Amino acid sequence: MKPSTKHKIARLTGPKFKKILLSLALIAGIVNFSSSYSKPAVLNKAGTHPLRPASITDSIDQKTGLIMAPGFAVVSTTCVRCHSPKLITEKRATREGWLATIRWMQQTQGLWDLGPQEPVILDYLAKNYAPKNEGRRPLLKNTEWYKLTN
């Protein structure tokens, strides 16, 4: 005897079926999440991602806030692995200053030897996060002055 269509639908919408659907959705979400975060970027010799052209300039990466320029892929996969990209965007230094920062991280923070990636990182940081020659602060504009009285 064949089960009726009504019974088939009841079996598909019952609590057991809902648990199976929830389990499958959870597994799919875990697989998607882990696959998007566990794969390291494959970089070419210039330190750029092969699918992103090295000619991209003056563009900000939405995820990290870093300038997308040659060396961006190395910095975003190496530096941002351990700390927030805000530590990069808020700091300004010369190439020597960035090198001193890297050496300090290697001596005190457990940063590994960067090998051939170090010059790529230094080039990127020195070009895109160099000190600004703005002085102490911008000049005041449209200021109303008044005399102090004792």
Side-chain angles (χ1 to χ4, degrees), residues 17-149:
F17 182 71
K18 287 180 183 178
K19 285 181 183 178
I20 292 171
L21 274 180
L22 183 61
S23 299
L24 290 173
L26 183 63
I27 290 169
I30 290 171
V31 168
N32 185 31
F33 177 80
S34 64
S35 67
S36 65
Y37 286 97
S38 63
K39 294 178 184 173
V42 178
L43 308 175
N44 60 24
K45 289 182 182 179
T48 59
H49 194 284
L51 299 178
R52 291 187 193 134
S55 62
I56 296 175
T57 56
D58 298 331
S59 187
I60 304 295
D61 178 53
Q62 296 296 315
K63 185 176 179 182
T64 62
L66 296 173
I67 296 170
M68 292 181 70
F72 162 78
V74 174
V75 170
S76 66
T77 57
T78 304
C79 305
V80 179
R81 176 185 287 180
C82 297
H83 59 72
S84 168
K86 289 205 181 264
L87 288 174
I88 298 167
T89 59
E90 292 176 357
K91 181 179 172 77
R92 297 279 175 171
T94 62
R95 184 181 180 86
E96 293 76 26
W98 285 113
L99 181 59
T101 302
I102 288 172
R103 293 295 177 257
W104 174 80
M105 287 188 286
Q106 288 173 331
Q107 293 168 359
T108 63
Q109 307 300 310
L111 176 63
W112 58 92
D113 178 28
L114 298 172
Q117 292 180 334
E118 185 174 276
V120 175
I121 292 170
L122 287 170
D123 290 343
Y124 173 84
L125 295 173
K127 180 179 179 196
N128 298 294
Y129 297 100
K132 291 182 179 179
N133 293 327
E134 295 177 345
R136 189 172 62 107
R137 62 171 171 75
L139 297 174
L140 297 174
K141 296 178 183 175
N142 302 326
T143 303
E144 293 184 30
W145 297 98
Y146 58 91
K147 289 189 177 190
L148 295 175
T149 57

